[in-house]
Amino acid sequence: MTATFTPSISRPFTGPFGADTTAGEIVAGLDLGGRRAVVTGAASGIGLETARALASAGACVTLAVRDLDAGVAIAAEITRSTGNELVSVARLDLTDRTSVRAFVANWDGPLHMLVLNAGVMAAPLTRTADQWELQFATNHLGHFALATGLFPALVAADGARVVSVSSAAHLRSPVVFDDVHFHGRAYDPWTAYGQSKTANVLFAVQANRQWGGDGIHVNALSPGGIRTNLQRHLGPAELASLEQRGAATGWKTPEQGAATSVLLAASPLVEGIGGRYFEDCTEAGPHVPGTDRGVADYAVDPESAERLWDVSTATIRS
C-alpha cells in the first residue's frame, strides 16, 4: 500500500443528471468494452439494474451473489436484455470470511469497477459465526474485506473506481466504536443499520486517502428511496411508515436508484473525484437538520475514517 493520498481541493460536483435519471441514461453513448466490473448483491433491486447498465455499455460484469441459482438466472436475463454475453456469476457471502477469501483468490486480472451494493436493512439482532452484528458484518466488514483483498486487481486496472452504497439512514447513527456489535448496549435495528451505513461513507473517505495515489477513486452514495427486497425484515407498522415517507418524498424506480452508482462507477464526468458522498447523481452538501438530505459531519470525519479502517483491518484479520 502506498503513502496516504491527499486529494486536491475542488468544487463540489454537479452534473446534468438528477433524481429522475436512470442508470441507462448515465451510460448512454459510453463504451465500457474491455472494462471489468464486480457488483455485489446483483441478483435483485438496484444491484441488478447497476449490473444491467454496465453490461449494456459493453462491460464484462461479474454478479457477486449468495444464491448462485438466482444469480445464474439474472445473468441470463441481463444477457438477453443487453446482448452482452460477458456476464458471469460468482458466489459471495459477505458474512463468511472463507467465502470472501475464496472470491478474492479466484479473481484473476485487473478490476476496473467494484460496486459494493449488497446489504441488509433493519434486521433483528443476529450474529455471524464470528459474533459480529449482522448488519455491520454484511454492509461494512464483508465489503471492507472484499475491497482490500481485491486491491492488487484495482491497482492493475490503472484508474479503478470503487463505489460504496450507503443510505440517508447513515443520519441515524455514527459508528459507536466502543460497542460496534451491540454486546453491551441495547440493540435497535435502525440504529444498527444507520451505523453500518455511516461505515460505508467513512470507508470511502479513508480508502480514497489510502488508494488515491494508486489511481483508485472511491466514493459513497445514497440511492434514495426504492421499494426492493431490502425491506424484507420490516414489520407491518414499519412498512406503513416507510410507505408514508416514500409517498411524501417520492419513490424511485430501481433503474433510477441505480443511477448514482453507475455514475460513480463509469461516467467520465466524475473522473478523478473521490472521497465524497453523492445523492441524486450529484455531490451532497452537509446534512440539513430536519431532512434526510446531505451527509452527516461524523460520516466524513477523517479521524473517524482512519480509526474505522484500523479497527476493520484488525477485525477481519483476527
Side-chain angles (χ1 to χ4, degrees):
M1 186 175 294
T2 59
T4 298
F5 169 72
T6 303
S8 59
I9 303 300
S10 61
R11 296 168 63 183
F13 171 84
T14 57
F17 306 117
D20 296 332
T21 300
T22 66
E25 291 170 334
I26 296 290
V27 295
L30 293 185
D31 180 4
L32 299 179
R35 300 182 69 183
R36 305 172 75 200
V38 168
V39 182
T40 69
S44 64
I46 64 173
L48 188 162
E49 297 306 329
T50 298
R52 188 196 309 278
L54 297 176
S56 74
C60 174
V61 182
T62 298
L63 315 182
V65 299
R66 285 185 304 167
D67 186 336
L68 277 178
D69 290 339
V72 169
I74 291 300
E77 193 276 322
I78 291 175
T79 292
R80 284 194 299 270
S81 66
T82 65
N84 186 344
E85 296 185 353
L86 300 177
V87 182
S88 61
V89 182
R91 187 176 184 279
L92 176 68
D93 182 345
L94 290 164
T95 67
D96 182 348
R97 284 195 268 188
T98 300
S99 177
V100 176
R101 288 168 183 157
F103 186 98
V104 170
N106 289 331
W107 185 265
D108 183 42
L111 175 59
H112 303 84
M113 297 170 279
L114 174 59
V115 184
L116 308 175
N117 167 83
V120 60
M121 180 176 77
L125 179 59
T126 307
R127 300 200 183 278
T128 69
D130 294 298
Q131 295 303 302
W132 302 339
E133 188 274 317
L134 178 67
Q135 296 188 81
F136 197 79
T138 304
N139 300 347
H140 170 63
L141 286 172
H143 278 140
F144 180 85
L146 179 68
T148 53
L150 289 171
F151 174 73
L154 294 166
V155 172
D158 191 23
R161 310 263 188 99
V162 180
V163 180
S164 182
V165 179
S166 180
S167 166
H170 83 273
L171 299 167
R172 292 176 176 267
S173 177
V175 173
V176 180
F177 289 102
D178 291 340
D179 190 9
V180 167
H181 296 291
F182 293 86
H183 289 298
R185 57 181 169 140
Y187 181 77
D188 175 75
W190 284 107
T191 299
Y193 181 62
Q195 173 181 247
S196 72
K197 294 290 99 178
T198 292
N200 292 154
V201 187
L202 290 171
F203 165 77
V205 171
Q206 186 63 18
N208 199 71
R209 292 183 68 224
Q210 296 277 99
W211 297 346
D214 295 289
I216 303 166
H217 289 94
V218 190
N219 289 288
L221 69 113
S222 168
I226 309 106
R227 294 184 182 94
T228 71
N229 191 44
L230 190 64
Q231 286 109 33
R232 63 189 179 275
H233 292 295
L234 302 187
E238 290 174 313
L239 281 172
S241 175
L242 199 65
E243 284 290 338
Q244 185 177 27
R245 191 179 310 124
T249 60
W251 289 104
K252 289 186 177 185
T253 66
E255 294 85 355
Q256 292 169 333
T260 307
S261 293
V262 174
L263 172 81
L264 296 174
S267 175
L269 296 176
V270 293
E271 185 72 35
I273 292 175
R276 306 188 192 182
Y277 175 85
F278 285 69
E279 56 191 8
D280 295 338
C281 297
T282 193
E283 186 176 346
H287 172 53
V288 179
T291 76
D292 61 357
R293 306 290 297 174
V295 62
D297 289 343
Y298 55 69
V300 290
D301 174 60
E303 291 185 3
S304 295
E306 184 174 9
R307 183 179 183 185
L308 178 65
W309 188 280
D310 292 341
V311 168
S312 301
T313 299
T315 299
I316 66 171
R317 291 178 179 174
S318 62

Short mmCIF file of all heavy atoms in Angstrom, two decimals, residues 16 23 41 68 74 76 118 151 157 160 198 200 203-204 212 251 297 315:
data_model
loop_
_atom_site.label_atom_id
_atom_site.label_comp_id
_atom_site.label_asym_id
_atom_site.label_seq_id
_atom_site.Cartn_x
_atom_site.Cartn_y
_atom_site.Cartn_z
N PRO A 16 -25.31 17.00 -15.26
CA PRO A 16 -26.56 17.16 -15.99
C PRO A 16 -27.67 16.22 -15.54
O PRO A 16 -28.76 16.22 -16.12
CB PRO A 16 -26.15 16.85 -17.44
CG PRO A 16 -25.04 15.85 -17.29
CD PRO A 16 -24.29 16.26 -16.05
N ALA A 23 -30.23 4.59 -14.68
CA ALA A 23 -28.88 4.06 -14.91
C ALA A 23 -28.58 3.96 -16.40
O ALA A 23 -27.45 4.23 -16.83
CB ALA A 23 -28.76 2.69 -14.25
N GLY A 41 -24.47 -8.19 -4.53
CA GLY A 41 -25.92 -8.11 -4.37
C GLY A 41 -26.63 -7.80 -5.67
O GLY A 41 -27.61 -7.05 -5.69
N LEU A 68 -26.40 -18.77 -5.95
CA LEU A 68 -25.87 -18.97 -7.30
C LEU A 68 -26.97 -19.22 -8.32
O LEU A 68 -26.91 -18.72 -9.44
CB LEU A 68 -24.88 -20.13 -7.31
CG LEU A 68 -23.44 -19.82 -6.88
CD1 LEU A 68 -22.61 -21.10 -6.92
CD2 LEU A 68 -22.82 -18.75 -7.75
N ILE A 74 -30.44 -14.44 -13.27
CA ILE A 74 -30.36 -12.99 -13.53
C ILE A 74 -29.32 -12.70 -14.60
O ILE A 74 -29.52 -11.85 -15.48
CB ILE A 74 -30.03 -12.24 -12.22
CG1 ILE A 74 -31.22 -12.30 -11.27
CG2 ILE A 74 -29.66 -10.79 -12.52
CD1 ILE A 74 -32.50 -11.68 -11.81
N ALA A 76 -28.47 -14.56 -17.08
CA ALA A 76 -29.06 -14.91 -18.38
C ALA A 76 -30.04 -13.84 -18.83
O ALA A 76 -30.09 -13.49 -20.02
CB ALA A 76 -29.75 -16.27 -18.28
N ALA A 118 -24.43 -4.84 -2.02
CA ALA A 118 -25.24 -5.75 -1.22
C ALA A 118 -25.48 -5.19 0.17
O ALA A 118 -24.65 -4.45 0.71
CB ALA A 118 -24.55 -7.11 -1.13
N PHE A 151 -7.50 -5.24 -3.77
CA PHE A 151 -6.67 -4.07 -4.01
C PHE A 151 -5.66 -4.27 -5.15
O PHE A 151 -5.54 -3.41 -6.03
CB PHE A 151 -5.94 -3.66 -2.72
CG PHE A 151 -4.94 -2.55 -2.89
CD1 PHE A 151 -5.36 -1.24 -3.10
CD2 PHE A 151 -3.57 -2.81 -2.86
CE1 PHE A 151 -4.44 -0.21 -3.26
CE2 PHE A 151 -2.65 -1.80 -3.01
CZ PHE A 151 -3.08 -0.49 -3.22
N ALA A 157 -5.79 -2.14 -12.73
CA ALA A 157 -6.71 -1.54 -13.71
C ALA A 157 -6.25 -0.16 -14.15
O ALA A 157 -6.73 0.36 -15.15
CB ALA A 157 -8.11 -1.46 -13.13
N ALA A 160 -9.02 2.59 -11.40
CA ALA A 160 -10.22 1.88 -10.96
C ALA A 160 -11.15 2.79 -10.17
O ALA A 160 -10.74 3.82 -9.62
CB ALA A 160 -9.83 0.67 -10.11
N THR A 198 -23.15 4.57 7.93
CA THR A 198 -22.09 5.55 8.20
C THR A 198 -20.73 4.94 7.90
O THR A 198 -19.85 5.59 7.32
CB THR A 198 -22.15 6.01 9.67
OG1 THR A 198 -23.34 6.78 9.87
CG2 THR A 198 -20.95 6.88 10.04
N ASN A 200 -20.08 2.82 5.68
CA ASN A 200 -19.89 2.80 4.22
C ASN A 200 -19.31 4.12 3.72
O ASN A 200 -18.50 4.14 2.78
CB ASN A 200 -21.22 2.55 3.51
CG ASN A 200 -21.78 1.16 3.71
OD1 ASN A 200 -22.98 0.95 3.64
ND2 ASN A 200 -20.92 0.18 3.99
N PHE A 203 -15.64 4.47 5.01
CA PHE A 203 -14.77 3.63 4.19
C PHE A 203 -14.33 4.37 2.93
O PHE A 203 -13.15 4.35 2.56
CB PHE A 203 -15.47 2.33 3.80
CG PHE A 203 -14.78 1.60 2.68
CD1 PHE A 203 -13.62 0.88 2.92
CD2 PHE A 203 -15.26 1.67 1.38
CE1 PHE A 203 -12.96 0.24 1.88
CE2 PHE A 203 -14.61 1.04 0.34
CZ PHE A 203 -13.45 0.31 0.59
N ALA A 204 -15.28 5.03 2.26
CA ALA A 204 -14.94 5.75 1.03
C ALA A 204 -13.94 6.87 1.30
O ALA A 204 -13.02 7.09 0.51
CB ALA A 204 -16.22 6.31 0.39
N GLY A 212 -5.80 6.68 -3.41
CA GLY A 212 -5.85 7.66 -4.49
C GLY A 212 -4.54 7.78 -5.24
O GLY A 212 -4.53 8.00 -6.45
N TRP A 251 -41.02 7.90 -4.44
CA TRP A 251 -40.24 6.68 -4.62
C TRP A 251 -39.48 6.74 -5.93
O TRP A 251 -39.94 7.31 -6.92
CB TRP A 251 -41.17 5.46 -4.66
CG TRP A 251 -41.78 5.10 -3.35
CD1 TRP A 251 -43.07 5.33 -2.96
CD2 TRP A 251 -41.14 4.44 -2.26
NE1 TRP A 251 -43.28 4.85 -1.69
CE2 TRP A 251 -42.12 4.30 -1.23
CE3 TRP A 251 -39.86 3.97 -2.04
CZ2 TRP A 251 -41.82 3.69 -0.02
CZ3 TRP A 251 -39.57 3.37 -0.83
CH2 TRP A 251 -40.54 3.23 0.18
N ASP A 297 -21.68 15.23 9.44
CA ASP A 297 -20.27 15.56 9.67
C ASP A 297 -19.49 14.33 10.13
O ASP A 297 -18.34 14.11 9.71
CB ASP A 297 -20.14 16.67 10.72
CG ASP A 297 -20.60 18.02 10.20
OD1 ASP A 297 -20.70 18.18 8.97
OD2 ASP A 297 -20.83 18.92 11.03
N THR A 315 -10.11 -6.44 12.79
CA THR A 315 -11.24 -7.36 12.97
C THR A 315 -11.20 -8.48 11.94
O THR A 315 -11.35 -9.66 12.29
CB THR A 315 -12.57 -6.59 12.84
OG1 THR A 315 -12.64 -5.60 13.87
CG2 THR A 315 -13.75 -7.55 12.98
#
